[in-house]
Amino acid sequence: METARPSRGVFTRRAMLLAGGQLGIFGFLGHRLYDLQLVEGAHMSALAARNRTSKRLLAPARGAITDRFGVPLAGNSQNWRALLMPEETTDIHATVDHFAQIIPLEDFERTRISRDIKNLRRYVPILLKEFLSWDDMARIEAQAFSLPGVLVDVGSTRTYPFGPQLAHIVGYVAPPTEKDVAKTPLLALPGMRAGREGIEQTQDDLLRGAPGMVEMEVNAYGRVLGELERVEGAQGDRVELTIDAGLQQMVLGRIADEYASAVVMDCRDGAILAMTSTPSFDPALFDSGVSHAQWKAWVSDPNAPLTNKAVAGVYPPGSTFKPAVALAALKSGLVTEEDRFDCPGYYDLGGTRFHCWRKHGHGSVNMRQALRYSCDVYFYKVAQKIGMDQIKDMASPLGLGVTLPVELPHVRAGNVPTPAWRRRKGHHWNRGDTVVAGIGQGFVQTTPLELATYAARIASGREVSPHLIRRTVTREGVKINLPIAPGLELQPEWLDVVRGGMFDVINAPDGTATRARLDLPGIQMAGKTGSAQVRRVSRAQRESGHFNSMKLPWEQRPHALFICYAPFDKPRYAVAVVVEHGNGGAATAAPLARLIMTDALQRDPSGREHAPGVTVAEAG
């Protein structure tokens, strides 16, 4: 039987169909290849590059803070840290848990990391751990294969060479809060810090700088293979202060173990050369985190180490207030410099006896004598004669009871009361309130910065404005801070009377502060003592003749105050000193102010372009 053969036509059709199918497939592949290589080539190349690279922002280095001679007060040092790149890991929580097994995390660090995972964009690195040791870094590198997206990076930490010596002025930095980050997203970058207290806080925007960028090569598992490109951020501006670090150390050395505040100011322009407040604290602790025990110790300390008492501590000025009362009396026209008031040692008003500090009184005294002897009765009577409103109107231009524009946070204003102020408080103003205010007691309160400004304004006759920033060095250039000081609306002869009385306080044989006399040839100083009571002394105690405030418990003793300026004939520096519970201004504060003024005059920082030859010692 003969087998049938397929016809030639059928074979041809099959071949054509097969060839057509092949051509279609190759045509599709060719078209797709054309699209991938030519049409979508740039896009695909970008995706491929994105898979092998990772970009992130870099926190900029914080700007330096220096003293007037360029001595660093706040700078930066290296800080090794572990970062997590969320884009480079598939299970971010598992990676964090595994990291914690290698490098233990504290509870507050866990809380922060969870917050950052929730709130930050995936391209923003998350800080896992700061201040890594070499052993920490070695353990991380040994486990790198199991830590996708984790890398060891170097950032900066804030350093304070003078530690507690300048803490209240310079301030400190700390990790930003959620509120900080919400206000300024840049603070979410690892290593960024927010300024807290002092110049660090008020000049935070200038010190912060602009971020940089780094591009890294990564493998399919998110492990960093190397760095492709780095553009460093722009460091923050440099802020140069009016402070002389050397003089600051000298003042602290003079204060020693006292709880005290002192301010040294240039009488001509208000530049602050030194500002101390003791006790103090170590600002560096805040950068790495303050322990709960340390924080509790600070806030529970009755001597308030975290408070800058020079600008936020308020004290009755005591007799240092008397020059302001004298000027108010002269301006009122109700009292002249030669008018005399008798001081038998007390002043009776409405059944109340107000005592002079000198039991048997000073006899008949005029204004200059009353300042020299610090006669309380004279100023009781003068205050009663002119009234509190006129005293207030004089005190404010002199810098007392007002908020001064110094570049620090939490600056408090003292208080010079008036009957209207008392009524706003819901109380009646008594005549006795005016009497005690005349000697800086009662409701009168001032800060050490106010007292220094007050002394400088009396000395110069100008409304000098206290300031701490001398100039700022920016990328655009140097910005110099030179406040203009208008003249006070006071007659020269009024100022001459008060200045003469303050000169006698120190230089007359019977002045109240002869212990403050300078030992510098040809240089004399003017000043005024003050003792501010912190508890009431009864009439019976005063008249017994046996009362001695030095026998009281320390916390019940009066504060000791002193204000001064020198040289008398050409004022350059003003000094204010407040020694808490120092008892007597003449015995405690005046000798201390003499030493501080001597240091200021001999070092003369405002008269130099370069620091004196003595090397400034850094705190150990």
Side-chain angles (χ1 to χ4, degrees):
M1 182 175 177
E2 185 176 346
T3 305
R5 297 181 179 180
S7 67
R8 188 178 185 86
V10 173
F11 176 80
T12 302
R13 285 196 300 274
R14 289 178 178 174
M16 291 178 64
L17 288 172
L18 182 61
Q22 291 174 336
L23 286 173
I25 292 172
F26 282 118
F28 172 78
L29 292 174
H31 181 267
R32 185 59 182 152
L33 186 62
Y34 174 82
D35 283 342
L36 291 174
Q37 290 187 337
L38 299 179
V39 179
E40 299 182 30
H43 176 64
M44 293 301 175
S45 296
L47 289 177
R50 190 179 302 170
N51 287 334
R52 63 176 284 270
T53 63
S54 176
K55 292 183 179 180
R56 64 182 176 88
L57 295 175
L58 294 173
R62 196 167 175 85
I65 301 173
T66 73
D67 82 342
R68 67 188 299 112
F69 299 120
V71 176
L73 309 182
N76 306 303
S77 64
Q78 285 188 336
N79 168 26
W80 292 94
R81 62 205 182 180
L83 305 180
L84 173 61
M85 308 296 293
E87 290 181 314
E88 310 303 333
T89 181
T90 56
D91 190 338
I92 191 169
H93 293 286
T95 302
V96 172
D97 290 340
H98 187 55
F99 178 87
Q101 294 174 5
I102 302 169
I103 306 295
L105 296 172
E106 301 288 343
D107 290 340
F108 75 90
E109 292 172 320
R110 282 279 198 174
T111 301
R112 174 183 49 75
I113 292 169
S114 297
R115 181 195 70 199
D116 290 348
I117 291 173
K118 178 182 177 182
N119 295 334
L120 300 183
R121 304 256 180 112
R122 286 187 60 83
Y123 61 80
V124 178
I126 292 174
L127 175 66
L128 296 178
K129 188 80 174 182
E130 288 190 288
F131 307 104
L132 297 175
S133 66
W134 288 109
D135 289 341
D136 292 335
M137 291 187 283
R139 289 201 298 272
I140 293 171
E141 289 299 322
Q143 296 290 325
F145 67 92
S146 62
L147 294 171
V150 175
L151 69 148
V152 173
D153 184 57
V154 61
S156 64
T157 185
R158 203 64 162 159
T159 59
Y160 300 99
F162 292 89
Q165 296 177 348
L166 281 151
H168 290 115
I169 297 173
V170 176
Y172 58 89
V173 296
T177 64
E178 291 186 50
K179 185 177 180 181
D180 293 328
V181 173
K183 183 179 178 182
T184 309
L186 177 64
L187 290 175
L189 292 179
M192 289 297 291
R193 293 290 187 267
R196 301 279 190 257
E197 301 300 329
I199 297 298
E200 292 277 30
Q201 178 175 331
T202 62
Q203 308 303 308
D204 195 29
D205 290 343
L206 292 177
L207 293 166
R208 194 175 293 159
M213 184 274 292
V214 63
E215 183 177 12
M216 298 170 295
E217 183 179 11
V218 297
N219 62 16
Y221 299 100
R223 184 180 179 184
V224 176
L225 301 178
E227 188 176 297
L228 300 176
E229 183 183 6
R230 176 180 285 260
V231 178
E232 296 293 345
Q235 183 171 3
D237 298 337
R238 179 166 67 87
V239 177
E240 180 183 296
L241 304 186
T242 58
I243 291 291
D244 173 10
L247 181 60
Q248 179 85 359
Q249 289 181 311
M250 290 178 174
V251 174
L252 285 167
R254 300 301 190 185
I255 291 175
D257 296 330
E258 298 279 8
Y259 295 134
S261 302
V263 179
V264 181
M265 183 182 295
D266 190 324
C267 290
R268 301 166 304 171
D269 61 10
I272 298 172
L273 286 308
M275 176 189 284
T276 64
S277 175
T278 60
S280 186
F281 62 95
D282 185 355
L285 296 178
F286 286 91
D287 196 18
S288 56
V290 175
S291 68
H292 177 72
Q294 177 62 80
W295 179 257
K296 186 177 179 180
W298 279 335
V299 298
S300 62
D301 188 337
N303 298 303
L306 296 177
T307 300
N308 183 356
K309 299 172 188 174
V311 300
V314 290
Y315 308 88
S319 294
T320 63
F321 191 63
K322 290 173 181 175
V325 178
L327 285 169
L330 292 170
K331 185 177 181 180
S332 73
L334 299 175
V335 180
T336 70
E337 62 176 297
E338 293 304 328
D339 287 342
R340 307 184 77 85
F341 293 88
D342 185 59
C343 171
Y346 57 86
Y347 174 55
D348 290 330
L349 178 68
T352 302
R353 175 161 290 185
F354 300 89
H355 291 268
C356 186
W357 69 266
R358 187 177 184 185
K359 183 178 179 181
H360 300 293
H362 295 94
S364 177
V365 292
N366 62 22
M367 185 174 288
R368 182 161 177 167
Q369 292 171 327
L371 287 169
R372 181 197 312 173
Y373 305 139
S374 197
C375 176
D376 291 333
V377 170
Y378 177 93
F379 287 97
Y380 290 151
K381 294 180 178 180
V382 167
Q384 191 69 14
K385 189 175 184 69
I386 66 175
M388 277 307 302
D389 288 318
Q390 297 206 63
I391 294 174
K392 168 73 172 181
D393 290 343
M394 176 56 64
S396 295
L398 292 175
L400 301 176
V402 296
T403 302
L404 296 169
V406 70
E407 305 94 333
L408 290 175
H410 315 306
V411 177
R412 292 184 63 182
N415 182 46
V416 179
T418 62
W421 169 85
R422 186 70 171 146
R423 286 193 296 270
R424 288 195 299 270
K425 298 289 184 179
H427 300 283
H428 177 69
W429 181 269
N430 301 308
R431 289 193 298 167
D433 294 331
T434 301
V435 170
V436 295
I439 63 166
Q441 294 281 176
F443 300 114
V444 184
Q445 289 186 320
T446 57
T447 68
L449 179 62
E450 288 181 7
L451 292 173
T453 304
Y454 165 53
R457 290 181 180 183
I458 290 175
S460 66
R462 309 191 69 80
E463 196 174 334
V464 295
S465 181
H467 61 282
L468 277 165
I469 295 179
R470 189 169 185 237
R471 60 184 180 180
T472 305
V473 182
T474 70
R475 293 183 291 278
E476 290 76 29
V478 178
K479 180 181 178 182
I480 298 174
N481 183 29
L482 192 62
I484 298 174
L488 292 168
E489 296 181 0
L490 297 175
Q491 297 297 325
E493 56 268 26
W494 302 343
L495 286 169
D496 286 344
V497 173
V498 170
R499 290 167 181 161
M502 294 174 69
F503 176 87
D504 292 345
V505 165
I506 296 174
N507 300 287
D510 52 356
T512 56
T514 56
R515 293 175 61 181
R517 197 171 299 162
L518 295 177
D519 294 329
L520 302 175
I523 300 179
Q524 294 172 306
M525 183 166 73
K528 186 69 192 76
T529 55
S531 297
Q533 293 178 7
V534 297
R535 54 154 286 173
R536 183 178 179 276
V537 180
S538 69
R539 178 173 178 176
Q541 287 176 314
R542 286 188 179 276
E543 294 181 350
S544 69
H546 302 296
F547 178 75
N548 183 354
S549 57
M550 280 299 292
K551 295 181 179 180
L552 293 171
W554 178 82
E555 65 275 6
Q556 294 183 18
R557 297 174 190 171
H559 299 311
L561 304 94
F562 194 74
I563 59 171
C564 58
Y565 66 86
F568 175 74
D569 55 347
K570 194 174 182 180
R572 193 172 188 100
Y573 298 111
V575 172
V577 174
V578 178
V579 181
E580 293 182 346
H581 309 293
N583 197 57
T588 304
L592 180 55
R594 177 182 68 84
L595 295 172
I596 292 172
M597 181 64 80
T598 300
D599 292 335
L601 289 168
Q602 290 182 328
R603 190 172 174 87
D604 193 21
S606 67
R608 299 174 182 266
E609 285 299 318
H610 304 285
V614 179
T615 302
V616 177
E618 295 185 2

